[in-house]
Coordinates of all heavy atoms in Angstrom, one line a residue:
M221 N 23.8 79.2 -14.6 CA 23.2 80.1 -15.6 C 21.7 80.1 -15.3 O 21.1 81.2 -15.5 CB 23.5 79.5 -17.0 CG 23.0 80.4 -18.1 SD 23.9 81.9 -18.1 CE 23.2 82.7 -19.5
E222 N 21.1 79.0 -14.9 CA 19.7 79.0 -14.7 C 19.3 79.8 -13.5 O 18.2 80.4 -13.4 CB 19.2 77.5 -14.5 CG 19.2 76.7 -15.8 CD 18.8 75.3 -15.5 OE1 18.3 75.0 -14.4 OE2 19.1 74.4 -16.4
S223 N 20.2 79.9 -12.5 CA 19.9 80.7 -11.3 C 19.8 82.2 -11.7 O 19.0 82.9 -11.0 CB 20.9 80.5 -10.3 OG 22.2 80.9 -10.7
L224 N 20.6 82.6 -12.7 CA 20.5 84.0 -13.1 C 19.1 84.4 -13.7 O 18.7 85.5 -13.5 CB 21.6 84.3 -14.1 CG 23.0 84.5 -13.6 CD1 24.0 84.7 -14.7 CD2 23.1 85.5 -12.6
L225 N 18.5 83.4 -14.3 CA 17.1 83.7 -14.8 C 16.1 84.0 -13.7 O 15.1 84.6 -14.0 CB 16.7 82.5 -15.7 CG 17.5 82.2 -17.0 CD1 17.0 81.0 -17.6 CD2 17.4 83.4 -17.9
L226 N 16.4 83.5 -12.5 CA 15.5 83.8 -11.4 C 16.0 85.0 -10.6 O 15.2 85.9 -10.2 CB 15.5 82.6 -10.5 CG 14.7 82.8 -9.2 CD1 13.2 83.0 -9.5 CD2 14.9 81.6 -8.2
L227 N 17.3 85.1 -10.4 CA 17.9 86.2 -9.5 C 17.8 87.6 -10.1 O 17.6 88.5 -9.4 CB 19.3 85.9 -9.2 CG 19.6 84.7 -8.3 CD1 21.1 84.4 -8.1 CD2 18.9 84.9 -7.0
I228 N 17.9 87.7 -11.4 CA 17.9 89.0 -12.1 C 16.5 89.6 -12.0 O 16.3 90.8 -11.5 CB 18.4 89.0 -13.5 CG1 19.9 88.7 -13.5 CG2 18.0 90.3 -14.3 CD1 20.5 88.5 -14.9
P229 N 15.4 88.9 -12.3 CA 14.1 89.5 -12.1 C 13.7 89.8 -10.6 O 13.1 90.8 -10.3 CB 13.1 88.4 -12.6 CG 13.9 87.6 -13.5 CD 15.3 87.6 -13.0
V230 N 14.2 88.9 -9.7 CA 14.0 89.2 -8.3 C 14.7 90.4 -7.8 O 14.2 91.3 -7.1 CB 14.4 87.9 -7.4 CG1 14.4 88.3 -6.0 CG2 13.5 86.8 -7.7
A231 N 15.9 90.6 -8.3 CA 16.7 91.8 -8.0 C 16.0 93.1 -8.5 O 16.0 94.1 -7.9 CB 18.1 91.7 -8.5
L232 N 15.5 93.0 -9.7 CA 14.8 94.1 -10.3 C 13.5 94.4 -9.6 O 13.2 95.6 -9.4 CB 14.5 93.8 -11.8 CG 15.8 93.8 -12.7 CD1 15.4 93.4 -14.2 CD2 16.5 95.2 -12.7
L233 N 12.9 93.4 -9.1 CA 11.7 93.6 -8.3 C 12.0 94.3 -7.0 O 11.3 95.3 -6.6 CB 11.0 92.3 -8.0 CG 9.7 92.4 -7.2 CD1 8.6 93.1 -7.9 CD2 9.3 91.0 -6.8
F234 N 13.1 93.9 -6.3 CA 13.5 94.5 -5.1 C 13.9 96.0 -5.4 O 13.6 96.9 -4.6 CB 14.7 93.8 -4.5 CG 14.3 92.6 -3.7 CD1 15.0 91.4 -3.8 CD2 13.2 92.6 -2.8 CE1 14.7 90.3 -3.1 CE2 12.8 91.5 -2.1 CZ 13.6 90.3 -2.2
L235 N 14.6 96.3 -6.5 CA 14.9 97.6 -6.9 C 13.7 98.5 -7.1 O 13.6 99.6 -6.6 CB 15.8 97.6 -8.1 CG 16.2 99.0 -8.7 CD1 17.1 99.7 -7.6 CD2 16.9 98.8 -10.0
A236 N 12.7 97.9 -7.8 CA 11.5 98.7 -8.0 C 10.8 99.0 -6.7 O 10.3 100.1 -6.5 CB 10.6 97.9 -8.9
V237 N 10.7 98.1 -5.8 CA 10.1 98.3 -4.5 C 10.9 99.4 -3.7 O 10.2 100.3 -3.1 CB 10.0 97.0 -3.7 CG1 9.6 97.3 -2.2 CG2 9.0 96.1 -4.4
A238 N 12.2 99.3 -3.7 CA 13.0 100.3 -3.0 C 12.8 101.7 -3.6 O 12.6 102.7 -2.8 CB 14.5 99.9 -3.1
V239 N 12.7 101.8 -4.9 CA 12.5 103.1 -5.5 C 11.1 103.7 -5.2 O 10.9 104.8 -4.9 CB 12.7 103.1 -7.1 CG1 12.3 104.3 -7.8 CG2 14.2 102.8 -7.3
W240 N 10.1 102.8 -5.2 CA 8.7 103.1 -4.9 C 8.7 103.7 -3.4 O 8.1 104.7 -3.2 CB 7.8 101.9 -5.1 CG 6.4 102.2 -4.5 CD1 5.4 102.9 -5.1 CD2 5.9 101.8 -3.3 NE1 4.3 102.9 -4.3 CE2 4.6 102.2 -3.2 CE3 6.4 101.0 -2.2 CZ2 3.8 102.0 -2.1 CZ3 5.7 100.8 -1.1 CH2 4.4 101.3 -1.1
A241 N 9.4 103.0 -2.5 CA 9.3 103.4 -1.1 C 10.0 104.7 -0.9 O 9.6 105.6 -0.1 CB 10.0 102.3 -0.2
L242 N 11.1 105.0 -1.7 CA 11.8 106.2 -1.6 C 10.9 107.4 -2.0 O 10.8 108.4 -1.4 CB 13.1 106.2 -2.5 CG 13.8 107.5 -2.6 CD1 14.4 108.0 -1.3 CD2 14.9 107.4 -3.7
F243 N 10.3 107.2 -3.2 CA 9.4 108.3 -3.7 C 8.2 108.5 -2.8 O 7.7 109.6 -2.6 CB 9.0 108.0 -5.1 CG 10.1 108.4 -6.1 CD1 10.8 107.4 -6.8 CD2 10.4 109.7 -6.3 CE1 11.8 107.7 -7.7 CE2 11.5 110.0 -7.2 CZ 12.1 109.0 -7.9
K244 N 7.7 107.4 -2.2 CA 6.5 107.6 -1.3 C 7.0 108.4 -0.1 O 6.2 109.3 0.4 CB 6.0 106.2 -0.9 CG 4.8 106.2 0.0 CD 4.3 104.9 0.4 CE 3.1 105.0 1.3 NZ 2.7 103.8 1.9
A245 N 8.1 108.1 0.4 CA 8.6 108.8 1.6 C 8.9 110.3 1.2 O 8.6 111.2 2.0 CB 9.9 108.2 2.1
L246 N 9.4 110.5 0.0 CA 9.6 111.9 -0.4 C 8.3 112.7 -0.5 O 8.2 113.8 -0.1 CB 10.3 111.9 -1.7 CG 11.8 111.6 -1.7 CD1 12.4 111.4 -3.1 CD2 12.6 112.6 -0.9
R247 N 7.3 112.0 -1.1 CA 6.0 112.7 -1.2 C 5.3 113.0 0.1 O 4.6 114.0 0.3 CB 5.0 111.8 -2.0 CG 5.1 112.1 -3.5 CD 4.0 111.4 -4.3 NE 4.6 110.2 -4.9 CZ 4.3 108.9 -4.6 NH1 3.4 108.6 -3.8 NH2 5.0 108.0 -5.2
Q248 N 5.6 112.2 1.1 CA 5.0 112.4 2.4 C 5.7 113.4 3.3 O 5.4 113.6 4.4 CB 4.8 111.0 3.2 CG 3.8 110.1 2.5 CD 3.7 108.8 3.3 OE1 4.5 108.5 4.1 NE2 2.7 108.1 3.0
G249 N 6.8 113.9 2.8 CA 7.6 114.9 3.5 C 8.5 114.3 4.6 O 8.8 114.9 5.6
Q250 N 8.9 113.0 4.4 CA 9.7 112.4 5.4 C 11.1 113.0 5.6 O 11.6 112.9 6.7 CB 9.9 110.9 5.0 CG 10.4 110.0 6.1 CD 9.4 109.6 7.1 OE1 8.2 109.7 6.9 NE2 9.9 109.3 8.3
F251 N 11.6 113.6 4.6 CA 12.9 114.2 4.7 C 13.0 115.7 4.7 O 14.0 116.3 4.5 CB 13.7 113.7 3.5 CG 13.8 112.2 3.3 CD1 13.1 111.6 2.3 CD2 14.5 111.5 4.2 CE1 13.2 110.2 2.2 CE2 14.6 110.1 4.1 CZ 13.9 109.4 3.1
E252 N 11.8 116.3 5.1 CA 11.8 117.8 5.1 C 12.6 118.4 6.2 O 13.3 119.3 6.1 CB 10.3 118.2 5.1 CG 9.5 118.0 3.9 CD 10.1 118.7 2.7 OE1 10.5 119.9 2.8 OE2 10.1 118.1 1.6
D253 N 12.4 117.9 7.4 CA 13.0 118.5 8.6 C 13.7 117.4 9.4 O 13.2 116.7 10.2 CB 11.9 119.1 9.5 CG 12.6 119.9 10.7 OD1 13.8 120.1 10.6 OD2 11.8 120.2 11.6
L254 N 15.0 117.3 9.1 CA 15.8 116.2 9.7 C 16.4 116.6 11.0 O 16.7 115.7 11.8 CB 16.9 115.8 8.7 CG 16.5 115.3 7.3 CD1 17.7 115.0 6.5 CD2 15.7 114.0 7.5
D255 N 16.4 117.8 11.3 CA 17.1 118.3 12.6 C 16.1 118.4 13.7 O 16.5 118.3 14.9 CB 17.8 119.6 12.4 CG 18.9 119.5 11.4 OD1 19.5 118.5 11.4 OD2 19.2 120.5 10.8
H256 N 14.8 118.5 13.5 CA 13.9 118.8 14.6 C 13.8 117.7 15.6 O 13.8 117.9 16.8 CB 12.5 119.0 14.0 CG 11.4 119.3 15.0 ND1 11.4 120.4 15.7 CD2 10.5 118.5 15.5 CE1 10.4 120.4 16.6 NE2 9.8 119.2 16.5
A257 N 13.8 116.4 15.1 CA 13.7 115.3 16.1 C 14.9 115.2 16.9 O 14.8 114.9 18.1 CB 13.5 114.0 15.3
A258 N 16.1 115.5 16.4 CA 17.3 115.4 17.2 C 17.3 116.5 18.2 O 17.7 116.2 19.4 CB 18.5 115.5 16.2
W259 N 16.9 117.7 17.9 CA 16.9 118.8 18.9 C 15.8 118.7 19.9 O 15.9 119.1 21.0 CB 16.8 120.1 18.2 CG 18.1 120.5 17.5 CD1 18.4 120.5 16.2 CD2 19.3 121.0 18.2 NE1 19.7 120.9 16.0 CE2 20.3 121.2 17.3 CE3 19.6 121.2 19.6 CZ2 21.6 121.6 17.6 CZ3 20.9 121.6 19.9 CH2 21.9 121.8 18.9
A260 N 14.7 118.0 19.5 CA 13.6 117.9 20.4 C 14.0 117.0 21.6 O 13.5 117.3 22.7 CB 12.4 117.2 19.7
V261 N 14.8 116.1 21.4 CA 15.3 115.2 22.5 C 16.1 116.0 23.5 O 15.9 115.9 24.7 CB 16.2 114.0 22.0 CG1 16.8 113.3 23.1 CG2 15.3 113.1 21.1
I262 N 16.9 116.9 23.0 CA 17.7 117.8 23.9 C 16.8 118.7 24.7 O 17.0 118.9 25.9 CB 18.8 118.5 23.1 CG1 19.8 117.5 22.5 CG2 19.5 119.6 24.0 CD1 20.8 118.0 21.6
F263 N 15.9 119.4 24.0 CA 15.0 120.4 24.6 C 14.1 119.7 25.6 O 13.9 120.3 26.7 CB 14.3 121.2 23.6 CG 15.1 122.1 22.8 CD1 15.0 122.2 21.4 CD2 16.0 122.9 23.4 CE1 15.8 123.0 20.7 CE2 16.8 123.8 22.7 CZ 16.7 123.8 21.3
E264 N 13.6 118.5 25.3 CA 12.8 117.8 26.3 C 13.5 117.4 27.5 O 13.0 117.6 28.7 CB 12.2 116.5 25.7 CG 11.1 116.8 24.6 CD 10.7 115.5 23.9 OE1 11.2 114.5 24.3 OE2 9.9 115.6 23.0
D265 N 14.8 117.0 27.4 CA 15.6 116.7 28.5 C 15.9 117.9 29.4 O 15.8 117.8 30.6 CB 17.0 116.1 28.0 CG 17.8 115.5 29.1 OD1 17.2 114.9 30.0 OD2 19.0 115.8 29.1
R266 N 16.1 119.0 28.8 CA 16.4 120.3 29.5 C 15.1 120.6 30.3 O 15.2 121.0 31.5 CB 16.8 121.4 28.6 CG 18.2 121.3 28.1 CD 18.5 122.5 27.2 NE 19.8 122.4 26.6 CZ 20.2 123.2 25.7 NH1 19.5 124.1 25.2 NH2 21.5 123.0 25.2
E267 N 14.0 120.5 29.7 CA 12.7 120.9 30.3 C 12.4 119.9 31.5 O 12.0 120.4 32.5 CB 11.6 120.8 29.3 CG 10.2 121.3 29.8 CD 10.3 122.8 30.0 OE1 11.0 123.5 29.3 OE2 9.5 123.2 30.9
Q268 N 12.7 118.7 31.3 CA 12.5 117.7 32.4 C 13.4 118.0 33.6 O 13.0 118.0 34.7 CB 12.7 116.3 31.9 CG 11.6 115.8 31.0 CD 11.9 114.4 30.5 OE1 13.0 113.9 30.7 NE2 11.0 113.9 29.7
R269 N 14.7 118.4 33.3 CA 15.6 118.7 34.4 C 15.1 120.0 35.1 O 15.2 120.1 36.3 CB 17.0 118.9 33.8 CG 17.7 117.7 33.4 CD 19.1 118.0 33.0 NE 19.7 116.9 32.4 CZ 20.9 116.9 31.8 NH1 21.6 118.0 31.8 NH2 21.4 115.8 31.2
R270 N 14.7 121.0 34.3 CA 14.2 122.2 34.9 C 13.0 121.9 35.8 O 12.9 122.5 36.9 CB 13.8 123.2 33.8 CG 13.9 124.6 34.2 CD 13.7 125.6 33.0 NE 14.8 125.4 32.1 CZ 14.6 125.4 30.8 NH1 13.5 125.5 30.2 NH2 15.7 125.3 30.0
N271 N 12.0 121.1 35.4 CA 10.9 120.8 36.2 C 11.2 120.0 37.4 O 10.6 120.2 38.5 CB 9.8 120.1 35.3 CG 9.2 121.0 34.3 OD1 9.2 122.2 34.4 ND2 8.6 120.4 33.3
A272 N 12.2 119.1 37.3 CA 12.6 118.3 38.4 C 13.3 119.2 39.5 O 13.1 119.0 40.7 CB 13.5 117.2 38.0
G273 N 14.0 120.2 39.0 CA 14.7 121.1 40.0 C 13.6 121.9 40.7 O 13.8 122.2 41.9
K274 N 12.6 122.4 40.0 CA 11.5 123.2 40.6 C 10.8 122.4 41.6 O 10.4 122.8 42.7 CB 10.6 123.7 39.6 CG 11.2 124.8 38.7 CD 10.2 125.3 37.7 CE 10.8 126.3 36.8 NZ 9.9 126.7 35.7
E275 N 10.5 121.1 41.3 CA 9.8 120.2 42.3 C 10.6 120.0 43.5 O 10.1 119.9 44.6 CB 9.4 118.9 41.6 CG 8.3 119.1 40.5 CD 8.0 117.8 39.8 OE1 8.6 116.8 40.1 OE2 7.2 117.8 38.8
A276 N 11.9 119.8 43.3 CA 12.8 119.5 44.5 C 12.9 120.8 45.4 O 12.9 120.7 46.6 CB 14.2 119.2 44.0
D277 N 12.9 122.0 44.8 CA 12.9 123.2 45.5 C 11.6 123.4 46.3 O 11.5 123.9 47.4 CB 13.2 124.4 44.7 CG 14.6 124.4 44.1 OD1 15.5 123.7 44.8 OD2 14.9 125.1 43.1
H278 N 10.5 123.0 45.6 CA 9.2 123.1 46.2 C 9.0 122.2 47.4 O 8.3 122.6 48.3 CB 8.1 122.8 45.1 CG 6.7 123.1 45.5 ND1 6.1 122.4 46.6 CD2 5.8 124.0 45.1 CE1 4.9 122.9 46.7 NE2 4.7 123.8 45.8
D279 N 9.6 121.0 47.4 CA 9.4 120.1 48.5 C 10.2 120.5 49.7 O 9.9 120.0 50.8 CB 9.9 118.7 48.0 CG 9.0 118.1 47.0 OD1 7.8 118.5 46.9 OD2 9.4 117.2 46.2
R280 N 11.1 121.4 49.6 CA 11.9 121.8 50.8 C 11.2 122.6 51.8 O 10.4 123.3 51.8 CB 13.2 122.5 50.4 CG 14.2 121.6 49.7 CD 15.4 122.4 49.3 NE 16.2 121.6 48.4 CZ 17.3 122.0 48.0 NH1 17.8 123.2 48.2 NH2 18.0 121.2 47.2

């Protein structure tokens, strides 16, 4: 029973910190564009392959 007197406030503190972090991320626009980073990896890879192919053709 005595452990609950410590664990409940600690759990509430962790909850408050998590909610604060969520709202901070929302205010900073962290969740505005979720697809851009995923597609950027694909487009960068295509661009690197294209440039590597041009350099290989240039060396011939």
Side-chain angles (χ1 to χ4, degrees):
M221 184 69 176
E222 291 177 14
S223 63
L224 286 178
L225 294 175
L226 176 66
L227 290 177
I228 290 175
V230 170
L232 291 175
L233 179 66
F234 281 138
L235 176 65
V237 169
V239 169
W240 172 79
L242 172 67
F243 281 109
K244 183 177 178 188
L246 286 171
R247 269 188 258 118
Q248 292 180 347
Q250 191 76 26
F251 302 109
E252 291 297 322
D253 186 14
L254 298 177
D255 293 330
H256 179 73
W259 284 106
V261 172
I262 293 172
F263 290 131
E264 288 174 2
D265 188 42
R266 287 181 183 169
E267 189 68 29
Q268 288 174 355
R269 286 185 191 173
R270 202 173 296 137
N271 290 339
K274 288 179 184 178
E275 290 175 4
D277 291 339
H278 186 297
D279 291 339
R280 288 181 190 182

